[in-house]
Amino acid sequence: MSWTIDQAGKQDGRVAIVTGANIGLGLNTALQLAGKGCRVVLACRNLDKAAAAKAEILQQLPKAKVECLQLDLGSLKSVRAFAEKFSAKHKRLDLLINNAGIMMPPYSLSEDGFESQLAANYLGHFALTGLLLPLLEQTPGSRVVSLSSLAHNWSGMRFDDLQFSKGYNKRKAYGQSKFACLMFAYELNRRLQKTGSKTLSVAAHPGVSATNLAQHFPRILSAFMPVFGQSAADGALPTLYAALGEDIQGGDYCGPKNLQQMRGAPVKVGSNRASRDEAAAKKLWTVSEELTGVSFLS
Ligand SMILES: NC(=O)c1ccc[n+]([C@@H]2O[C@H](COP(=O)([O-])OP(=O)(O)OC[C@H]3O[C@@H](n4cnc5c(N)ncnc54)[C@H](OP(=O)(O)O)[C@@H]3O)[C@@H](O)[C@H]2O)c1
């Protein structure tokens, strides 16, 4: 039997952060978590959009406990400010949903000098997780969910030119960033287990979901997304399964079960061999610590 949101227990008293929660998969994830009674912090780069998302959630769930807090994952300064503000206000963090992302934009560097997809999709989340880890570890049953993609197959880590300084390939850069998210999820879990931590690190991908993520696609392709892609509500289910599923273990990867993982009910899925390369994952961790200045579990 496939997992459905009805199988998730009540989440009253628990606290979740969902990054990029103003639209798409993040909004649907936040809505379902709030519906289960979780207090949800919408971590968004634009507070007006976050407020609109909060209003949308409250319209459907008038008793939902929802907060907005500014977070730009493309800025390490913003990531640090977010973690400080959140930690000052909250004494627990049950679920960190590293969801926000961008796909195949024109080449640009973040304010810290990183290729924009590596910055927002991966390095910002690496730093955020490290800064929030003390709070996660003091919260029983806590989980970190990292969003990867079928696109993790499009590229490995290009350690000799992570920032695509010599010829930008937007598809490979997206693939690299999502590959990094997956490698990070697995390596984080190995490191947590080694220290005896009870916090779980898991990964998820939504298959193909019709969202705003396709905004940089050629118009003809983005027009077909609603035809091939599943809804954002269905696309959020693997994330919710990873976050709430009772049979989930650290290091699991969840995605849709049908059409070569492009759509369907959420199940545990596999990933390519390269994503399981522990030596490369260690190297990625060290490089990520150097680039972000955030060190943890090392
Ligand atoms: N849709 C799919 O088929 C698909 C497939 C595989 C993986 N994924 C992954 O699923 C995740 C969610 O994507 P989606 O499909 O829901 O896309 P989406 O509708 O475009 O939503 C992306 C979210 O990320 C936010 N975001 C982007 N850059 C950010 C930054 N620098 N700081 C903070 N927030 C930022 C966006 O904020 P703004 O609204 O302000 O731009 C938006 O809230 C991504 O990690 C994506 O890689 C999606």
Side-chain angles (χ1 to χ4, degrees):
M1 199 178 77
S2 303
W3 188 86
T4 66
I5 190 69
D6 297 335
Q7 289 173 42
K10 285 257 171 245
Q11 300 293 310
D12 297 289
R14 302 188 88 208
V15 178
I17 293 173
V18 182
T19 69
N22 54 285
I23 199 168
L25 305 175
L27 175 57
N28 281 277
T29 303
L31 177 70
Q32 293 299 335
L33 291 174
K36 289 284 172 187
C38 207
R39 175 175 290 279
V40 185
V41 175
L42 311 180
C44 304
R45 59 179 164 178
N46 180 318
L47 277 181
D48 290 337
K49 289 186 188 178
K54 178 179 172 178
E56 202 175 321
I57 293 173
L58 287 175
Q59 199 177 24
Q60 295 189 48
L61 304 166
K63 289 188 180 154
K65 296 178 272 301
V66 187
E67 297 172 22
C68 302
L69 197 51
Q70 207 268 342
L71 170 67
D72 180 353
L73 287 151
S75 156
L76 290 172
K77 195 173 152 201
S78 171
V79 172
R80 284 187 182 278
F82 175 92
E84 271 168 33
K85 278 188 198 150
F86 181 88
S87 304
K89 183 166 180 201
H90 294 277
K91 296 289 158 266
R92 63 185 299 145
L93 176 55
D94 297 84
L95 299 170
L96 172 58
I97 314 288
N98 287 332
N99 163 81
I102 47 175
M103 185 178 191
M104 304 195 325
Y107 185 68
S108 71
L109 295 178
S110 70
E111 68 179 38
D112 304 294
F114 309 142
E115 185 280 317
S116 65
Q117 298 179 83
L118 192 68
N121 299 356
Y122 171 62
L123 287 168
H125 283 127
F126 176 89
L128 182 68
T129 306
L131 294 168
L132 292 172
L133 196 63
L135 214 44
L136 284 159
E137 291 204 274
Q138 74 184 42
T139 309
S142 62
R143 294 186 192 179
V144 179
V145 181
S146 296
L147 263 285
S148 186
S149 168
L150 288 169
H152 83 268
N153 291 302
W154 295 354
S155 174
M157 296 312 301
R158 297 164 32 116
F159 285 114
D160 56 342
D161 186 18
L162 286 175
Q163 314 304 343
F164 282 82
S165 61
K166 301 178 212 112
Y168 179 54
N169 178 321
K170 58 189 177 184
R171 186 173 178 273
K172 281 198 184 309
Y174 180 68
Q176 170 178 258
S177 72
K178 289 284 124 181
F179 182 83
C181 292
L182 188 54
M183 253 200 170
F184 167 63
Y186 293 153
E187 179 65 9
L188 175 61
N189 197 60
R190 285 190 287 269
R191 290 182 186 231
L192 287 167
Q193 282 184 345
K194 245 183 229 164
T195 62
S197 173
K198 298 275 185 286
T199 299
L200 301 186
S201 167
V202 286
H205 82 85
V208 179
S209 301
T211 68
N212 209 33
L213 195 69
Q215 62 180 295
H216 298 295
F217 283 15
R219 208 172 280 170
I220 181 84
L221 269 183
S222 54
F224 275 105
M225 282 293 283
V227 181
F228 294 116
Q230 55 183 356
S231 68
D234 286 345
L237 286 174
T239 302
L240 289 158
Y241 177 39
L244 305 177
E246 280 181 10
D247 63 334
I248 292 292
Q249 294 178 329
D252 280 344
Y253 184 33
C254 306
K257 76 171 176 188
N258 299 330
L259 269 180
Q260 301 192 322
Q261 298 179 27
M262 286 199 279
R263 59 193 305 152
V267 290
K268 294 185 186 185
V269 296
S271 61
N272 67 22
R273 205 164 144 196
S275 66
R276 302 272 178 191
D277 180 339
E278 296 191 17
K282 281 192 183 118
K283 186 172 175 179
L284 175 62
W285 193 281
T286 304
V287 172
S288 305
E289 288 184 329
E290 286 165 6
L291 291 174
T292 62
V294 179
S295 290
F296 56 109
L297 297 173
S298 57

